[in-house]
Amino acid sequence: ARRGSGRREATPPPVDGLYGLVGAAVELTRRGAQVSVEVAMPSATVALHTLTAPSGGPFEVWVDGRRTLRLSSRGAPPAVARHGLPVAEGPHRVEVRATGPGVVRVLGASFDHPKVGVVLDALGLNGARLTTLLRSEPAHLASEVAARRPALVVFAYGTNESDDDTPPAEYERNAGEAVARILAAAPEASCLVVGPPDRALRTEGQWVTPPRLFDVVAAQRRVAAAAGCAFFDQLAAMGGAGTAAAWALEDDPRARPDRVHFTPRGYRELGERVGGEVLRAYVAFRAARGFDASRPIRTELSFAGPAPTRSTSRAVERKERRPAPAAPRRRSGPPSSAPRGGSRRTPGTRG
């Protein structure tokens, strides 16, 4: 639903860890540089996130082809600035234009709707690992996570790690630190670690599941347990080792020929399995706390597909406005464990 573009000297920022919630940013380094983002789904509140810094400069914000704000990103010390943009309900395009000397760093934008429901922030980056979170400056990342006030945090990584040569003990230690940093910024949030799905490598003329994938699953399971998070074993849920290779040979394949990525059908099925587990736990949570369990939860969007670069969408509509009390983070049960708590805002981090 969202697409972005950068023109005229829109460049990656330096390596300083100040990349916003998504973990990626764009810098406008000269007058006339532009970057834009467009969301086709209707939204009623839009906020632009930029970085204020001593090297900052002036810029304009255009919404749907009209200049809305004139601002400056100059200031000290470096800090995140969140600019609310007046918009009517509907799809929107936001463009940032540098108008003078200095550097304008754009961290992203949030497109939301005030209706009752669940907001899903999908924060995927191509090639990301769970340890990618460690590249962000800790206090900066904590501030960004806390600002979104998540009720449930989902960590979904592992495919890329299954092709790395990092020693297993080092990976587990770093992954645990990454999860701990996020949860420290959201102490009231429930948490869920989603293990990687199956993949296959061509070995001696055959497609086989790499042994390291099992090490990654085991490490993530231990990290989840240590952090008090639920764990969903996606590898087991989809059928275990060899499933990706088999899916690629189907008449209507669920896996791509590389046996690593999936087709829309495959991603939809995987997403529905994870999403169904979360919704079942949420129904149990509502019943245990006196909500009317006979009232259905209407699913608007599947938890499906590879994580988009940045998106915000309502995944589940919850009718009652009564706030749910804090819930335990972890529940056991094969092949997965799902969080008990109902979610108002759900950042999902995925690689």
Side-chain angles (χ1 to χ4, degrees), residues 257-346:
D258 64 4
R259 276 72 168 175
V260 176
H261 301 91
F262 299 94
T263 63
R265 177 183 173 225
Y267 279 122
R268 187 177 301 109
E269 181 172 323
L270 292 174
E272 288 173 350
R273 292 184 186 187
V274 178
E277 205 52 37
V278 172
L279 293 180
R280 279 190 290 273
Y282 180 46
V283 169
F285 167 84
R286 294 201 319 168
R289 283 156 180 78
F291 291 121
D292 184 357
S294 66
R295 295 177 64 187
I297 300 175
R298 178 166 61 87
T299 300
E300 293 182 339
L301 298 174
S302 295
F303 292 74
T309 52
R310 289 195 295 268
S311 70
T312 302
S313 58
R314 290 185 309 283
V316 180
E317 181 176 332
R318 195 175 70 220
K319 294 296 184 182
E320 57 270 18
R321 295 178 180 270
R322 174 183 170 189
R329 284 181 174 164
R330 183 169 177 269
R331 179 172 66 89
S332 60
S336 62
S337 300
R340 295 180 186 273
S343 301
R344 182 189 51 76
R345 189 178 297 279
T346 308

Side-chain angles (χ1 to χ4, degrees), residues 16-102:
D16 57 13
L18 306 178
Y19 311 133
L21 182 63
V22 177
V26 170
E27 285 193 340
L28 310 180
T29 58
R30 59 177 295 177
R31 184 192 304 268
Q34 304 174 23
V35 65
S36 64
V37 62
E38 184 171 350
V39 175
M41 293 182 64
S43 56
T45 60
V46 177
L48 175 70
H49 299 225
T50 61
L51 185 73
T52 299
S55 61
F59 64 96
E60 296 176 345
V61 182
W62 292 63
V63 178
D64 302 329
R66 296 183 178 182
R67 186 173 60 202
T68 303
L69 295 174
R70 288 177 173 173
L71 301 166
S72 174
S73 62
R74 184 179 298 276
V80 176
R82 303 177 180 92
H83 313 286
L85 306 178
V87 297
E89 181 174 352
H92 296 291
R93 174 187 172 87
V94 176
E95 185 174 352
V96 179
R97 302 179 182 180
T99 57

Side-chain angles (χ1 to χ4, degrees), residues 40 95 124 136 140 151 159 293 349:
E95 185 174 352
S136 292
H140 171 80
T159 297
T349 57

